[in-house]
Amino acid sequence: MANVFERGSADEGKRGFLKLLFFSVIGATFGAVVYPIIRYLSPLARLEAHEKVEIGKDEIPLGKARFFTYKGNPSVIIQTKTGYTALSAVCTHLGCIVRWHEDKSEFECPCHAGRFDATGKVISGPPPKPLPQIAIVETATKVIVG
């Protein structure tokens, strides 16, 4: 009889472990689905949406690009002969970060060789859409992004 009781407690230990494992996996899955929804709807996310970045005009020489973070995303501002342009630096193909080639006056995606002009328009390659533009306001000494 003693063996039956010992075996029963071992089975209960295994069952308890499996229950704990099962509920842990369910909880982690639920958290992975619910957390992004709560983050999106939270007031903190709305506060970040009003973020503005101020960059001195002297920090953006003609023909050069300056990379920065805007609303948590890689972005870039460039000064051309026609003025300033702020763009998302995330390629619209697969999300790689574009690089500025000053000598060609264009952006290139290092992942699949997509090319964009200084305004973000697709020149060649697989990107389906241009780089999204970001609104800017110019003052006498700085450019305000956002």
Side-chain angles (χ1 to χ4, degrees), residues 7-134:
R7 184 174 180 199
S9 82
D11 286 343
E12 286 179 30
K14 289 178 186 175
R15 224 176 277 128
F17 174 74
L18 289 175
K19 282 182 184 177
L20 176 65
L21 182 64
F22 175 76
F23 287 115
S24 296
V25 169
I26 294 295
T29 303
F30 181 76
V33 171
V34 172
Y35 175 76
I37 295 169
I38 291 172
R39 176 82 173 110
Y40 176 76
L41 296 175
S42 75
L44 180 60
R46 284 188 223 117
L47 287 176
E48 290 173 359
H50 298 292
E51 178 182 338
K52 293 186 185 292
V53 177
E54 295 183 8
I55 303 170
K57 286 185 174 181
D58 59 338
E59 298 177 49
I60 316 163
L62 183 64
K64 302 222 185 242
R66 183 177 185 283
F67 287 81
F68 61 98
T69 301
Y70 175 68
K71 292 186 181 178
N73 298 309
S75 304
V76 62
I77 189 163
I78 182 165
Q79 181 188 8
T80 62
K81 294 176 184 173
T82 59
Y84 295 92
T85 305
L87 304 163
S88 168
V90 179
C91 180
T92 56
H93 178 228
L94 290 178
C96 298
I97 307 304
V98 297
R99 295 180 185 151
W100 174 248
H101 291 285
E102 186 179 339
D103 56 332
K104 298 178 186 177
S105 294
E106 65 185 34
F107 293 99
E108 180 183 23
C109 177
C111 295
H112 296 103
R115 293 175 32 228
F116 303 88
D117 69 9
T119 64
K121 182 178 154 190
V122 177
I123 298 172
S124 69
K129 299 184 293 189
L131 296 173
Q133 290 199 356
I134 304 169

